[in-house]
């Protein structure tokens, strides 16, 4: 008889998959194989460090599991119920009053389709009506802070580093306003200066928060980066791919992606005049583009009725969905909203698989042309800017349920805001830190390809050449020329020839080195004045 | 060598002995001077040249005389009898020289012995020769030098005697010589035996000292038997003690042993040091208390020093006093005369006062802290009300008071100023001056203008301050009215009130001052004219009121409210109201729902129509705010517009009591309206208008075709044929880029004229090396292309250009302790700042190597047992306590860190 007893695991030791996954996430990668290390001291130090990392990751995972105040969740269908059939009204009946407040339509028919932008904390929203209506709202209190009319076309609006400043792309130039509606800057230059330094008629604006860069694409397809702290124009590049208003910054690494009418999208950084990546995404013109907050996923929509999801680590298509999209947007938790006409669709990653599938849908009143969809951070709210004003609908599970006050604080006081401004200015990143893989910063420089071979390499090469020369078999010559002496001589000659070029190189280098040295010495040791007349005069 | 020494000493002894033989030979030369000279000479010969030196000639002579012989004796053991003989002879001679100072000679002899070795060599050779020399010399000097003769004689005698003995006996001379020597030694011992003066037996080797001899004196001491046994043991075994090792070798061995010992001693520290070296952090923050002295400790250490302090201390320490105090301290107080009730009473009273004070204070604080504007406004209003309560109750009294309060002259002045309107720079003169430019005028004019302006300011300020009171009254009225403005009655009441007021104003204006400027005929005329106009205006307003009153009676509830608001006192208030409405961001706007608004749609539709018609007539730039009001409700606006179009606004304003600048009123009205919670009607109306207009616009948009544009033909075609050539284009672009970054090798070409002289070369084609080069270049390129990231991705171009500006963000070389790139890169993968780590873990990640309080004394390391198998991490967990126990160990490791 076999007695089978289940192993009783104490509750604390039970294998917690979720926690483990979180720990892995916070460890940010594997540790190196320390066993293979030769240096014992280093090994010890790294082991200690690794232990600390592990502890930190574990604490973080535990905090995430136990201490965070609220939990995220999605709509969960019962049986054959479909989540996308659930209407906003039905959701409205179930949610609390505070959330209900976020379900509204703002009808402002006169001043054209509206663009929206939220601050990273989700507290403030900037609106820009095409016909010149600009405003800032406190969406938490439902409080209009300021609205004004600029009486010219406004194509885009974007908040700068905090809610106090925002930039609007107007008819001829972008402008920077403060929250009181005071025009602080018009981003143009005087006529006397070169016009290459001004943004021109900007069609889309993006602000890179960590770098304090305002990026714009104008109607001639010129991409510009301006540092808003000092006002210097960091970069000005011609895309050469025509006019576009599809531009999006990758929140992960600050790279700007543009969508073009030839179906390609290009990715730019301020330090290189050519796109770092250019990819053919669609056969038709690109209509919209969005980045997942983790930076690895990109969604593009083309005119040929396709929405594609790209893995940016491999630059491969993950998924292709049918449908138009005039605007795309990823939420903090990875929901993808797409809008076309007066219809909004939200896609969600199905658990387990990497595929996005329909999650919710919402249709506005007929005739409303949706201009932009924008998820409100830290809230389950999707803002929709359309031709008749703007609306806000509830998308359960879209926003991050817990905010991190190091990152963004919806309840920020003015003092905190001031301090954060100073801090963020101090921590401003230089524009060259924008690169495809920001994790590479601080690592060892990759070897240059076209670099001169080092001395050692050259020596090795020379040795190899000499060896080759020595190994070469001499032809048998006619009688009398085939003597040993002659053969030896010939061999020597060959070897000398093989050496010759390398020696020439070496000499050149040595000369240069010595020159440099002399120069350095000459610079370094200035003779006292009394002795200078004895110094050798340079041949001028 | 030792033998040699012994021999030499032997010689020396002999010499001494001989010296001490009875002094047969006295010489004339035996004076201290000569001896000194000799000594000097001797020392000079020895190489150590000290003291006064003789001239070399002298010295030579002296040397020739004595020294060689003297030292010749102790020279070598391989010497002939002859030498010895001669030696002896010479000794005698020397003896003469030393004779005088025996005492010194004892020590001197030793010195001499020391010098012997050196000197001896020099004069060894000439010894025999010297004999002859001397002989010859002697021959020469025979006459004068007696002593020389004597010595020589003696020597000769002895030599002869020895030779004779040899001849006779046939035995070697040596035997005789020995005999002689022995005898002599026995005789000549005159000093106590010591190590410096070994006995003759010892020297000759016959009577050596045995261990027994040395032991004998020890007999009877406690350790004697032990010693004896050991010695016996040694003797039995007969082991020979090995010669000691040479010094360097011995020292080397010693050093080795010492090193081993020390090593053993030091290895015990190893674990301790290792632990400290491996510890990520060393703590020096505990252990010795370095806290600043507290008051208590300072007081406990206090000792009275001055007289005064001592006196006080003596009192304090006095036991009697302290005991007395302890027993009944109350007696020491003077209060003991007061009765307990009294004290209690007083205390109670004080406590009450205090509590009252406290409460009052708290209340004041609380009130001060209240931030509510409403509260403060109400409070202020209460105050004002209280102040002007009597004014309110009886207008007559109020008037009197006003008159009494204000100066009569001031009143007159004010009226004058207002009548003339001089202060507004509206006179002809003022206008002209301003036209020309103020800066061009002379000082007098400027001053006059400035004065006017000043006056204007003064007056307006005064008016404002006066009006404030009245407006706030009004507003309070309005407030009240607003409270019940939702019902019809309120509206009608408002209208009635407005009517009343206008009538009042009309009546008031009838009063004309009897005296002063105003009583002048032309003034009176002007006033009357104005009054008439105002009356007309007022009448019109009254008519309006009547009309609206009737309307309100006829209309439903909601209309009533809107019309009620329309009345609102006097028209200027509407403007303010409008402004207010415009500026105030209303929360409820957002919550507008269609269902709510539909009900009221029809009414407002009508209103809107009226509204728009009216609006067109209005100059919008001037009265924008009015437009907004107009949007709210039809009839009201129409009324407003009529007011404005009639242009009676100014007149009304100047008409007296009502006139005031708008901004003050805006303020007051705002204050009133904002907090009132029952603004439903108003808001509803607003909402209605919003949604309504929205609806309109939707219709408009749908009709206007703003909504959706059919794509143009061009676009349609483009869309239809999109993707036809996009891919090809992209491939081309990619090729271009690739060629730019990895250029294709040039095709091998023969330069025309080169290598083409003959047909043969032409037929052969390109030389093989060229082809080879080309092939390799091509291969290289392909390899490079294959290495590219986008090699397999047809639709992607990834630029491989190096970003020079970004290069500074990379590490140039691998940092020192790291040997592999991967390990380094993985070691920096984690951010360690507080932004990225939980607060509990961030500290450990960024803790410095040494944690130390400033001013901390770090004691030297002390030994402590450490478990060698313990892991560093555990130690860390044990943490501070352990560290504090042996801050000493930490110290040591600190040293190691330094090194």
């Amino acid at each position: 008889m076999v007695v089978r007893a289940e192993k009783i695991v104490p509750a604390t030791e039970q294998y917690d998959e979720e926690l483990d996954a979180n720990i892995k996430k916070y460890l940010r990668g594997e540790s190196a194989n320390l066993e293979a290390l030769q240096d014992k001291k280093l090994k010890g130090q790294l082991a200690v460090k690794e232990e600390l990392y592990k502890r930190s990751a574990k604490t973080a995972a535990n905090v995430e599991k136990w201490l965070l105040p609220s939990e995220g969740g999605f709509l969960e269908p019962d049986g054959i119920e479909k989540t996308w059939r659930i209407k906003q009204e039905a959701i409205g009946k179930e949610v609390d009053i505070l959330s209900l407040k976020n379900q509204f339509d703002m009808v402002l028919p006169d001043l054209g389709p509206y663009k929206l932008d939220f601050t990273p904390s989700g507290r403030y929203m900037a609106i820009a009506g095409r016909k010149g209506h600009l405003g800032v709202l406190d969406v938490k209190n439902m409080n209009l802070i300021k609205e004004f009319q600029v009486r010219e076309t406004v194509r885009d609006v974007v908040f700068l580093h905090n809610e106090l400043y925002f930039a609007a792309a107007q008819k001829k130039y972008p402008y920077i306003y403060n929250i009181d509606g005071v025009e602080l800057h018009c981003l143009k230059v005087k006529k006397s200066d070169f016009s290459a330094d001004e943004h021109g008629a900007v069609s889309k604006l993006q602000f890179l928060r960590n770098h304090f860069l305002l990026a714009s694409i104008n109607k001639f397809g010129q991409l510009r980066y301006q540092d808003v702290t000092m006002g210097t124009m960091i970069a000005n590049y011609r895309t050469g791919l025509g006019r576009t208003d599809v531009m999006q910054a990758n929140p992960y690494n600050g790279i700007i992606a543009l969508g073009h009418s030839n179906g390609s999208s290009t990715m730019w950084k301020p330090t290189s005049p050519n796109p770092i990546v250019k990819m053919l995404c669609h056969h038709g013109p690109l209509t919209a583009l969005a980045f997942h907050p983790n930076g690895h996923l990109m969604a593009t929509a083309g005119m040929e009725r396709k929405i594609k999801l790209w893995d940016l680590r491999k630059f491969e298509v993950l998924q292709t969905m049918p449908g138009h999209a005039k605007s795309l947007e990823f939420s903090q938790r990875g929901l993808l909203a797409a809008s076309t006409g007066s219809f909004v669709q939200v896609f969600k990653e199905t658990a387990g698989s990497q595929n996005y599938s329909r999650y919710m849908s919402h249709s506005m009143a007929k005739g409303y042309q949706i201009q932009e969809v924008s998820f409100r951070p830290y809230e389950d709210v999707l803002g929709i800017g359309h031709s008749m004003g703007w609306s806000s609908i509830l998308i359960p599970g879209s926003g991050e349920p817990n905010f991190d006050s190091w990152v963004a604080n919806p309840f920020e006081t003015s003092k905190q805001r001031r301090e954060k401004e100073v801090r963020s200015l101090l921590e401003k990143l230089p524009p060259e830190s924008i690169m495809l893989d920001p994790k590479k910063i601080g690592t060892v420089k990759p070897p240059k390809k076209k670099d001169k071979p080092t001395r050692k390499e050259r020596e090795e090469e020379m040795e190899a050449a000499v060896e080759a020369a020595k190994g070469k078999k001499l032809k048998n010559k006619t009688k009398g020329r085939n003597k040993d002496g002659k053969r030896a001589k010939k061999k020597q000659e060959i070897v000398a020839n093989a050496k010759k070029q390398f020696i020439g190189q070496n000499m050149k280098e040595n000369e240069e080195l010595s020159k440099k040295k002399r120069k350095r010495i000459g610079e370094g040791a200035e003779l006292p004045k009394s002795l200078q007349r004895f110094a050798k005069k340079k041949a001028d | 060598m030792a033998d040699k020494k012994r021999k030499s000493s032997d010689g020396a002894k002999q010499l001494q002995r001989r010296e001490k033989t009875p002094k047969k030979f006295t010489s004339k030369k035996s004076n201290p001077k000569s001896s000194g000279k000799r000594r000097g000479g001797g020392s000079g010969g020895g190489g150590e040249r000290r003291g006064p030196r003789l001239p070399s000639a002298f010295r030579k002579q002296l040397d020739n005389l004595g020294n060689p012989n003297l030292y010749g004796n102790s020279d070598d053991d391989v010497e002939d009898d002859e030498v010895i003989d001669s030696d002896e002879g010479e000794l005698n001679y020397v003896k003469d020289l030393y004779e005088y100072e025996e005492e010194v000679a004892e020590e001197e002899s030793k010195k001499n012995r020391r010098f012997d070795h050196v000197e001896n060599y020099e004069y060894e050779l000439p010894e025999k020769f010297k004999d002859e020399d001397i002989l010859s010399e002697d021959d020469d000097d025979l006459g004068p030098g007696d002593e020389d003769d004597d010595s020589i004689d003696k020597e000769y005698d002895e030599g002869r005697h020895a030779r004779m003995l040899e001849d006779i006996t046939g035995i070697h001379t040596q035997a005789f010589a020995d005999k002689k020597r022995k005898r002599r030694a026995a005789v000549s011992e005159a000093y106590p035996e010591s190590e410096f003066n070994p006995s003759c037996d010892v020297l000759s080797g016959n009577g050596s000292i045995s261990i027994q001899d040395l032991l004998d004196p020890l007999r009877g001491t406690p350790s004697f038997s032990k010693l004896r046994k050991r010695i016996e043991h040694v003797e039995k075994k007969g082991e020979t003690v090995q010669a000691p090792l040479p010094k360097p070798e011995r020292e080397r061995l010693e050093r080795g042993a010492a090193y081993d010992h020390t090593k053993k001693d030091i290895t015990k520290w190893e674990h301790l040091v290792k632990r400290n070296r491996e510890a990520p952090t060393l703590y020096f923050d505990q252990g010795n208390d370095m806290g600043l002295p507290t008051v208590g400790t300072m007081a406990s250490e206090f000792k009275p020093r001055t007289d005064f302090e001592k006196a006080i201390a003596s009192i304090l320490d006095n036991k009697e006093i302290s005991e007395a105090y302890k027993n009944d301290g109350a007696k020491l107080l003077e209060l003991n005369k007061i009765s307990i009730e009294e004290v209690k009473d007083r205390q109670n009273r004080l406590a009450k006062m205090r509590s009252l004070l406290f409460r009052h204070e708290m209340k004041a604080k609380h009130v001060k802290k209240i931030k509510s504007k409403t509260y403060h406004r109400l409070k202020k209003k209460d105050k004002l009300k209280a102040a002007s309560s009597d004014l309110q109750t009886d207008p007559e009294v109020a008037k009197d008071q006003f008159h009494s309060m204000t100066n009569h002259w001031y009143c007159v002045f004010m009226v004058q100023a207002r009548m003339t309107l001089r202060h507004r720079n509206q006179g002809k003169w003022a206008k002209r001056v301003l036209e020309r430019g103020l800066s061009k005028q002379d000082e007098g004019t400027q001053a006059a203008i400035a004065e006017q302006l000043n006056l204007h300011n003064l007056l307006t300020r005064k008016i404002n301050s006066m009006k404030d009171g009245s407006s706030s009254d009004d507003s309070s009225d309005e407030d009240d009215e607003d409270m019940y403005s939702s019902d019809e009655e309120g509206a009608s009441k408002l209208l009635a009130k407005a009517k009343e007021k206008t009538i009042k104003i009309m009546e008031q204006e009838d009063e004309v001052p009897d005296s002063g400027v105003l009583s002048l005929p032309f003034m009176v005329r002007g006033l009357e004219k104005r009054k008439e106009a105002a009356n007309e205006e007022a009448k019109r307003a009254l008519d309006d009121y009547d009309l609206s009153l009737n309307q309100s009676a006829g209309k439903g509830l909601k209309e009533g409210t809107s019309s009620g608001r329309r009345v609102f006192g006097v028209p200027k208030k509407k403007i303010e109201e409008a402004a207010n409405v415009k500026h105030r961001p209303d929360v409820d706007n957002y919550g507008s729902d269609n269902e709510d608004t539909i009900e009221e749609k029809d009414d407002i539709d009508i209103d809107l129509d009226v509204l728009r018609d009216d609006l067109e007539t209005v100059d919008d730039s001037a009265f924008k705010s009015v437009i907004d009001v107009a949007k709210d409700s039809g009839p009201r606006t129409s009324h407003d517009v009529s007011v404005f179009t009639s242009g009676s606004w100014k007149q009304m304003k100047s008409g007296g009591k009502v006139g005031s600048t708008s901004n003050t009123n805006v303020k007051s009205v705002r204050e009133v309206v904002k907090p009132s919670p029952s603004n439903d009607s108003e808001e509803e109306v607003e909402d209605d208008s919003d949604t309504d207009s929205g609806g309109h616009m939707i219709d408009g948009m749908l009709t206007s075709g703003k909504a959706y544009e059919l794509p143009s033909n061009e676009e349609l075609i483009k869309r239809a044929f999109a993707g036809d050539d996009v891919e090809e284009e992209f491939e081309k672009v990619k090729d271009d880029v690739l060629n730019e970054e990895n250029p294709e090798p040039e095709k091998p070409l023969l330069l025309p004229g080169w290598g083409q002289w003959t047909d043969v070369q032409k037929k052969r084609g390109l030389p093989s090396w060229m082809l080879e080069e080309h092939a390799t270049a091509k291969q290289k390129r392909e390899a490079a292309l294959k290495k590219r990231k986008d090699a397999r991705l047809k639709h992607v171009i990834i630029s491989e250009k190096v970003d020079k500006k970004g290069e500074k963000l990379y590490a140039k070389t691998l940092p020192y302790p790291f040997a592999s790139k991967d390990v380094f890169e993985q070691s920096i993968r984690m951010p360690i700042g507080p932004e990225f780590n939980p607060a509990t873990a961030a500290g450990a990640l960024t803790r410095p190597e040494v944690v130390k309080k400033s001013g901390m004394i770090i004691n030297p390391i002390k030994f402590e047992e450490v478990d060698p198998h313990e892991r560093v991490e555990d130690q860390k967990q044990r943490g501070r306590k352990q560290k504090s126990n042996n801050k000493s160990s930490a110290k040591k490791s600190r040293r190691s860190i330094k090194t």
Side-chain angles (χ1 to χ4, degrees), chain A residues 27-29 32 42 50 55-56 59 106 131 262 271 274 276 278-280 283 315 369 432 442-443 445, chain B residues 590 697 706-707 723 726-727 795 797 799 801 803 808-809 811 817 825-827 829-830 837 840 873:
Chain A
L27 267 178
R28 295 169 172 92
L42 178 67
E50 219 40 72
R55 209 180 297 158
S56 166
T59 326
M106 195 74 202
K131 286 175 190 161
N262 63 356
T271 47
N274 297 314
I276 39 177
K278 183 174 182 180
M279 50 201 290
L280 185 65
H283 289 303
F315 296 102
Q369 285 295 303
E432 53 267 23
T443 57
K445 191 159 61 181
Chain B
Y590 301 101
M697 288 312 290
K706 202 182 182 182
V726 167
E727 273 185 28
H795 57 276
I797 308 167
S799 169
K801 275 184 183 165
D803 182 9
K808 64 185 171 196
L809 298 173
E825 279 168 13
Q826 268 158 331
S827 77
R829 72 180 194 281
M830 276 282 278
N837 289 292
T840 49
E873 206 39 42

Side-chain angles (χ1 to χ4, degrees), chain B residues 335-348:
Chain B
L335 274 179
N336 55 3
K337 277 171 193 169
I338 303 163
S339 70
I340 294 170
E341 284 82 33
E342 251 178 297
V343 171
K344 251 183 190 171
D345 257 14
R346 191 165 169 271
Q347 276 176 346
N348 280 339

Side-chain angles (χ1 to χ4, degrees), chain B residues 748-786:
Chain B
L749 273 178
L750 276 182
L751 279 175
W754 283 94
Q756 285 184 339
W757 292 105
T758 60
D759 255 0
V760 181
Q761 275 153 334
K762 212 175 188 182
K763 272 178 198 165
R764 268 189 193 166
L766 294 165
S768 63
W769 64 266
M770 257 186 188
L771 290 174
E772 213 171 277
E773 210 167 59
H774 181 69
T776 51
K778 240 184 176 178
Q779 263 185 358
K780 258 187 189 172
R781 177 174 183 263
E782 260 159 38
L785 290 185
K786 258 188 192 174

Side-chain angles (χ1 to χ4, degrees), chain B residues 12 35 53 90 104 209 256 278 303 519 553 631 778 797 898:
Chain B
S35 81
R53 292 171 65 184
E90 284 306 308
V104 185
I209 298 167
E278 284 175 354
K303 270 173 193 166
S519 65
K631 274 181 187 168
K778 240 184 176 178
I797 308 167
K898 266 187 189 172

